[in-house]
Amino acid sequence: MNFLVCISKTPDTTAKISFSSDLKTFNSAGVQYILNPYDEWYALVRAIELKEQLGGNVTVCNVGPQDNEQIIRKALAIGADDAVRIDSEPVSSMQVAYQIAQYAKDKNFDIIFLGKETIDYNGSEVGAMLAEYLDLPFISYGSKLELNGNSATIERDIEGGTEILEVAVPFVVSAAKGMAEQRIPNMRGIMMAKTKLLQVIPASSFDIQTLVENYDLPKEKSSVKMIDPDNMKELVRLLHEEAKAI
Amino acid sequence: MSVLVYVEYAQDHFKKTAFEAVTYASKIAQQLNTSCIALVLGKSNHLNELGDYGANKVLNADATQFNSFDSQVFTIAIAKVAMEQNASVIVLANSANGRSLTGRLSVKLNAGSVAGANKLPIVQGTSFIVGKSVFSGKAVANFEIKSPIKIISLMGNSIKPEKVSNNSTIESITLPETSSRIKVKEVKTVEGTVPLPEAEIVVSAGRGMKGPENWGIVEDLASSLGATTACSRPVADAHWRPHHEHVGQTGVAIRPNLYIAIGISGAIQHLAGVNNSKTIVVINKDPEAPFFKAADYGVVGDLFDVVPKLTAAIKDFKNNH
């Protein structure tokens, strides 16, 4: 089985977020970037586990500039076999999906994995877009995936529950919590990652349909009102009269 | 021209998110001076309800291919209707299924999209700008959609469903048969509770509860408020509570009107999933818990003492209102 895992780079959750003074551009200076957790912990690790069971190959793919090679090497250190970076500074989900589709269309991957969303924009769109470009089934929010021959049984998270389905390879699946457990790269993995193939390919031209115009910052939260633990009646009054929450 | 809203029907009713999407689409239709057309795929006995929220026309295609969800099959259907109705905007709920459709439709129709919008677009001449919350609620990004067709999925609890006088017509349509490569075997949903992403009030508890056997006071508080229960990541990881109750960055992201956090310290990963809540109440015995910085109201105290008192005060309030 051949697996493709699409990975992205996102600011760490704890990163301080700031913008240019006209609020037009995100200020990336000093921001700590990480491999998107859903891509790393669930999508990538499940692909590696399946390869370990069944044999095959795990390729990771990222659409981004050279700086992104740090997170690509991390994915290789965790256990991916080889990597592709599509050289581009993408600004929209569709642009990312299109680039990956151009690369993947003639490679006959059995399963294309990605995380359920990135933790910065939470769009959750790239998987569906990629599946549409490649005319493949798409299963979102997979929390469990078992392969039996060419057929996969997948559990996916839906509002307030789970859906269980069967689908034959090839398909695209987005991974949620539950699909695998995080793996920490070991020293051997880190050393081996340096020698694994990281291919850089040029991006295809693409017409951008959606673009960030500017950002707004949320209103400063007024400071917390502390309520006496023996006066819950006062809390209820505030929730009703002031917050209008009940 | 028209605004098309795809509406999910859940077994025997429309969810609140469906009415939110129709209200949202109807307001965009007013902005663009055009009509709002709702599309329901599969059998539904409540089509008339969509007119109450501003749909001018309700289209329904009932066929076996819509009995279970396959994003590809549904995308083909919605795209066909969008073309026939000359839709310039397509609105969907930002649900598990809605998000798959948003991505697929944007490729199929070569249309720009914004997934998870939380406010109405700003339309000026040909400029069409839609905002959504990004970076765990630390900013709002305003996206310009430049394509002739625009696709928006609406984040739950972003707009209140608004009733209007119902002038809708209902039309049954037939769509070509398409086959699915996905076979849905089973759908398991928890009965009787509002799913977390749709809940207006959420009562959530963390490690401060000390063990699953103590959850009775959390459930009592939740039932006094008609709230849905949730939990923090360590609680779900320890299997004190089911996985689907986990809110936070790796769990469910929510934006209820009221979020009550009990015995949760407020790690940044937890806040990332809840800090879009309109009002946050934090109950914790540690006055230094970081969650207080994100809270509107805070109570420092022993939760085993405070929570039953709050429940009693809520019940008292409900009896008098």
Side-chain angles (χ1 to χ4, degrees), chain B residues 3-314:
Chain B
V3 174
L4 179 70
V5 51
Y6 166 68
V7 188
E8 288 175 51
Y9 187 68
Q11 288 155 5
D12 56 355
H13 68 288
F14 288 111
K15 293 191 198 173
K16 192 183 73 176
T17 45
F19 299 136
E20 289 170 354
V22 177
T23 295
Y24 184 80
S26 145
K27 285 179 184 282
I28 297 176
Q30 285 166 29
Q31 284 179 309
L32 300 175
N33 207 7
T34 180
S35 63
C36 169
I37 300 169
L39 170 66
V40 179
L41 299 176
K43 189 176 169 58
S44 164
N45 300 320
H46 300 87
L47 297 169
N48 189 45
E49 291 176 9
L50 301 181
D52 292 340
Y53 297 91
N56 303 109
K57 185 160 75 172
V58 179
L59 303 177
N60 179 224
D62 180 15
T64 51
Q65 72 211 41
F66 303 125
N67 288 352
S68 62
F69 183 74
D70 175 344
S71 58
Q72 197 162 26
V73 169
F74 280 57
T75 294
I76 291 167
I78 298 166
K80 182 165 197 302
V81 174
M83 296 312 283
E84 285 169 359
Q85 300 298 326
N86 195 18
S88 57
V89 180
I90 304 174
V91 173
L92 307 98
N94 190 51
S95 60
N97 293 348
R99 288 168 129 197
S100 300
L101 296 170
T102 303
R104 285 202 102 115
L105 281 167
S106 58
V107 169
K108 192 162 191 75
L109 298 171
N110 195 20
S113 58
V114 170
N118 64 358
K119 50 188 177 185
L120 278 167
I122 296 165
V123 185
Q124 278 172 333
T126 56
S127 146
F128 190 100
I129 293 175
V130 197
K132 70 173 274 191
S133 173
V134 295
F135 300 115
S136 318
K138 290 177 215 162
V140 169
N142 298 307
F143 289 89
E144 177 166 18
I145 308 181
K146 299 178 171 199
S147 48
I149 301 176
K150 291 137 176 83
I151 303 179
I152 307 172
S153 72
L154 176 68
M155 189 64 95
N157 284 343
S158 296
I159 179 171
K160 280 220 173 305
E162 267 175 43
K163 285 214 174 187
V164 296
S165 67
N166 190 333
N167 298 313
S168 69
T169 54
I170 296 174
E171 221 176 277
S172 182
I173 56 169
T174 308
L175 293 169
E177 249 182 74
T178 39
S179 61
S180 173
R181 290 177 280 182
I182 292 175
K183 196 164 152 197
V184 175
K185 310 286 281 183
E186 199 182 344
V187 179
K188 295 189 281 195
T189 47
V190 184
E191 296 297 322
T193 54
V194 182
L196 275 170
E198 294 152 34
E200 297 205 5
I201 304 181
V202 173
V203 173
S204 185
R207 252 185 310 201
M209 294 300 297
K210 297 197 165 85
E213 66 280 6
N214 297 326
W215 240 262
I217 56 169
V218 174
E219 279 161 358
D220 287 348
L221 176 59
S223 78
S224 75
L225 286 163
T228 300
T229 53
C231 68
S232 65
R233 176 173 180 169
V235 164
D237 284 352
H239 303 292
W240 293 1
R241 300 296 292 176
H243 158 73
H244 69 257
E245 280 200 4
H246 166 200
V247 291
Q249 187 167 77
T250 46
V252 186
I254 54 171
R255 44 181 304 140
N257 276 331
L258 175 59
Y259 183 71
I260 303 182
I262 301 165
I264 300 175
S265 63
I268 193 145
Q269 289 79 2
H270 183 78
L271 295 180
V274 304
N275 64 3
N276 277 321
S277 308
K278 289 199 184 71
T279 299
I280 296 178
V281 175
V282 169
I283 300 171
N284 206 298
K285 69 176 181 203
D286 175 10
E288 302 298 318
F291 216 149
F292 285 116
K293 289 203 175 67
D296 299 283
Y297 303 103
V299 182
V300 176
D302 178 0
L303 62 90
F304 295 103
D305 173 53
V306 172
V307 173
K309 280 182 183 159
L310 176 57
T311 307
I314 301 270

Side-chain angles (χ1 to χ4, degrees), chain A residues 8-57:
Chain A
S8 342
K9 188 178 80 169
T10 66
D12 195 354
T13 322
T14 53
K16 190 158 166 44
I17 300 301
S18 65
F19 302 93
S20 59
S21 55
D22 60 359
L23 293 176
K24 292 257 183 206
T25 42
F26 176 68
N27 189 358
S28 61
V31 171
Q32 172 73 34
Y33 282 98
I34 56 169
L35 177 49
N36 181 47
Y38 296 111
D39 303 341
E40 177 191 335
W41 301 347
Y42 311 127
L44 174 62
V45 175
R46 190 63 190 133
I48 294 168
E49 286 172 352
L50 289 170
K51 184 205 94 166
E52 286 168 351
Q53 283 169 26
L54 307 164
N57 192 75

